[in-house]
Amino acid sequence: MSNEPNARMRGIDRAVAILEFLKARRRPVSIGDMARALGAPRSSVYEIVGRFVEAGILETDQDNSVYFGRSVYFYADAYLESQPLVRLGRDEAIRLSRATGETTQLCMLVANKYTVAFMHPGSSLFRISSETGVLVPIPWTASGRLLLGGMTDDEIKELIPPEDFWLPDGREIKFKDFIKDVRDACKQYRTVTSGLSDPYTMCLAAAIRDQHANPAATICFMVPANTDAHRRDELLNLLSASADALSQRLSHLAN
Amino acid sequence: MSNEPNARMRGIDRAVAILEFLKARRRPVSIGDMARALGAPRSSVYEIVGRFVEAGILETDQDNSVYFGRSVYFYADAYLESQPLVRLGRDEAIRLSRATGETTQLCMLVANKYTVAFMHPGSSLFRISSETGVLVPIPWTASGRLLLGGMTDDEIKELIPPEDFWLPDGREIKFKDFIKDVRDACKQYRTVTSGLSDPYTMCLAAAIRDQHANPAATICFMVPANTDAHRRDELLNLLSASADALSQRLSHLAN
DNA sequence: AAGTTTTGTCCGATATACTGGACACGCTGT
DNA sequence: ACAGCGTGTCCAGTATATCGGACAAAACTT
């Protein structure tokens, strides 16, 4: 906004700058460092941080470094709760878990990342790999592919940070291959990937669409990678049926 | 703070008030309503909301109602990463729900109130709907008693507002009795209360301790009040085991 | 132990952010 | 058509929040 380096600034603007800075740093920062990095007066930063700590939006650790506090966690919870498809999808996920005994997840995009909005564990001993609420690079997941269905190649390239195409094990996903996956997945509004984020897990996913038939979320099963083809198809059909029902209810709500 | 009703206020203070208001309302609110509810000038609220929308901290829906936006989700992701207690506790709660079919909660104190930080529904039809992030008087809950374990009687008296000792049904909890509950609960790092905040619910809780053996959070089951003693003890043992394991991992991480 | 940097707190001056009010517009019900 | 209400934008005045600088104490360096 202002090109003057040390112009007087509004508290709000400083506040937003502080939050964005902490988000970028991803670790607690001392107030001195923060003031230096933001080019802001130390006294102003003390003032704003103090107010945010009082509100629980930031917290100070034992070294008086500041980082995000509990309140932002509760705000985020409220945010998810406000998404209608999370409310509907959660009940459906629970129902599917009970019917099949499998671990069911409801997944969506948040800006340029993928996240598990809700999860219900199955009855099998097969362990749970992903936590809810954690942001994951989109190319690491089956659902991520489905969720990009409404976008053009260029939009996808724009959206995803280049580093997200490297899997945790060091392999790179080629953009061309990725786009092909995306298009294949979207033809049937479903997809299967095996051994992607970890080698023992297979992920089955079906897309829930909004009123414009664009993918808005996915509902998925996490099953062992060695699950046989018959069981796999049976589960996929269940997912598709649930996704279709949810899509319909969602479009209905939008009117 | 200020007792003047319409005194001029700092942007930051208005900003925090807006966020807290949205958290309490738990639904999108029009700017007009917000200004009225906060006793703030409309023009000021437009100003601040506009800045927050620009930053993605708030979002406007099709009716121009405002609610939390994507950015808070990213902030919360950063927070979770920095808080092993919440991160590990959530996983453990999900695991316990799966193992028992019961509704499991992770609870903590926020200043002088008690709150549910995470909840995972059980498979039984008995559905308890306490929302996460809602602040509740400490004496209304079983977990609240456990969480005060590290404090002296005087500190507890200082912390809890007198009105919090009145239950929703109008009964009063005597301070002496409450302290006795607290001390009893802490001997074993676990507690049971029945029919406290509502008559049909029993709450079983075990304390997760930090490296100084002070309670940092509780992990609990919400079960019907008529659950038999054998089942109750079985569940309590599971909670204790989980709490002990989490306490150990936390102390280990703190070094 | 002296020198250097960083940290937390305080304070007066002034640039300006916040406020109140005015205005135009789009509703809704009569 | 008209009145009544809510919404979004704009503006000028002034109460005050922000800033820079000063200070002591703490935390490192040499």
Side-chain angles (χ1 to χ4, degrees), chain B residues 8 11 14 41 43-44:
Chain B
R8 190 173 180 178
R14 295 269 187 230
S43 48
S44 304

Side-chain angles (χ1 to χ4, degrees), chain A residues 232-254:
Chain A
R232 191 192 64 200
D233 292 343
E234 179 182 50
L235 291 173
L236 271 172
N237 287 336
L238 277 171
L239 287 176
S240 289
S242 284
D244 290 347
L246 285 169
S247 302
Q248 198 126 21
R249 291 180 65 189
L250 205 60
S251 314
H252 199 263
L253 273 179

Side-chain angles (χ1 to χ4, degrees), chain B:
Chain B
M1 297 294 142
S2 164
N3 30 13
E4 300 221 12
N6 270 4
R8 190 173 180 178
M9 240 190 196
R10 296 194 303 169
I12 286 278
D13 290 333
R14 295 269 187 230
V16 170
I18 286 169
L19 296 175
E20 285 302 307
F21 178 70
L22 288 176
K23 174 182 155 190
R25 266 292 181 92
R26 291 193 79 80
R27 59 170 55 185
V29 185
S30 78
I31 295 194
D33 286 347
M34 192 140 69
R36 222 166 300 126
L38 297 174
R42 252 154 25 89
S43 48
S44 304
V45 178
Y46 270 103
E47 182 68 30
I48 290 169
V49 167
R51 186 66 188 84
F52 273 168
V53 167
E54 195 184 312
I57 293 168
L58 299 179
E59 280 172 14
T60 55
D61 63 15
Q62 65 282 0
D63 305 329
N64 279 2
S65 288
V66 299
Y67 204 53
F68 294 108
R70 299 175 161 146
S71 288
V72 298
Y73 208 77
F74 284 87
Y75 300 161
D77 184 58
Y79 169 76
L80 273 186
E81 197 182 45
S82 74
Q83 295 288 327
L85 169 59
V86 181
R87 215 178 53 236
L88 297 175
R90 285 158 45 112
D91 285 353
E92 192 65 17
I94 292 172
R95 206 186 59 77
L96 281 178
S97 268
R98 172 164 72 166
T100 65
E102 303 291 347
T103 297
T104 314
Q105 295 182 340
L106 184 75
C107 307
M108 351 184 359
L109 296 188
V110 178
N112 63 356
K113 299 284 175 183
Y114 157 96
T115 199
V116 179
F118 179 74
M119 190 193 81
H120 200 276
S123 55
S124 75
L125 292 176
F126 184 65
R127 203 58 177 304
I128 295 116
S129 58
S130 56
E131 292 175 293
T132 60
V134 174
L135 301 174
V136 175
I138 298 173
W140 295 11
T141 69
S143 298
R145 288 160 169 70
L146 271 178
L147 289 165
L148 295 172
M151 306 177 75
T152 66
D153 292 12
D154 287 343
E155 284 170 343
I156 292 173
K157 188 153 209 165
E158 183 107 9
L159 180 73
I160 302 178
E163 64 270 23
D164 285 5
F165 286 102
W166 295 87
L167 291 172
D169 62 9
R171 282 180 296 157
E172 185 188 3
I173 299 170
K174 295 289 178 205
F175 187 72
K176 276 249 172 80
D177 298 341
F178 181 67
I179 287 292
K180 187 168 176 306
D181 277 5
V182 171
R183 300 307 167 204
D184 284 352
C186 292
K187 266 179 215 147
Q188 295 226 299
Y189 293 120
R190 53 156 82 174
T191 189
V192 177
T193 55
S194 192
L196 198 59
S197 57
D198 87 84
Y200 310 108
T201 306
M202 173 150 63
C203 175
L204 319 174
I208 301 162
R209 284 93 61 199
D210 64 17
Q211 66 267 40
H212 310 109
N214 287 325
T218 61
I219 189 161
C220 9
F221 288 128
M222 307 299 288
V223 297
N226 60 9
T227 301
D228 72 65
H230 179 263
R231 170 72 170 164
R232 192 193 63 201
D233 292 343
E234 179 182 48
L235 290 172
L236 271 171
N237 288 335
L238 277 172
L239 286 176
S240 288
S242 283
D244 290 348
L246 283 170
S247 302
Q248 197 125 22
R249 291 182 66 188
L250 278 178
S251 315
H252 198 262
L253 278 176
N255 301 339

